Amino acid sequence: MKEGNQGNHLTLRLGEKILIERKKSGLSQGQLADMLGGTRQSVSKWESGAAVPELAKLVAIAEVVGVSLDYLVRE
């Protein structure tokens, strides 16, 4: 029986990656939101997995925190 990615503890979800990379960059949720033209509440929702940023925001997040878009969205 093949186990899916849900069983792999090394796989990070999108929200977790945003959180980790934001913190590595030394940014608060509010600072990241300001840089993206959004709100702190939106960033909080993305990081918790309650919402997913639109593609343009994902591209901007990747640029701000210095990672590839591929890294953010792939498992």
Side-chain angles (χ1 to χ4, degrees):
M1 176 186 246
K2 186 176 177 183
E3 187 172 334
N5 285 337
Q6 294 171 347
N8 183 349
H9 294 291
L10 298 176
T11 301
L12 295 176
R13 295 185 335 232
L14 173 62
E16 292 170 329
K17 290 179 183 179
I18 294 171
L19 171 66
I20 290 166
E21 298 304 327
R22 174 182 60 78
K23 287 186 173 186
K24 279 186 190 176
S25 297
L27 299 170
S28 69
Q29 289 180 337
Q31 289 169 320
L32 179 59
D34 288 344
M35 296 173 86
L36 301 173
T39 65
R40 186 203 59 77
Q41 290 84 358
S42 292
V43 175
S44 177
K45 287 180 181 178
W46 301 336
E47 291 179 352
S48 71
V52 176
E54 60 190 46
L55 181 57
K57 294 279 192 217
L58 281 171
V59 170
I61 292 166
E63 289 176 359
V64 167
V65 299
V67 298
S68 70
L69 180 60
D70 189 58
Y71 163 76
L72 281 181
V73 299
R74 286 191 185 251
E75 295 197 26

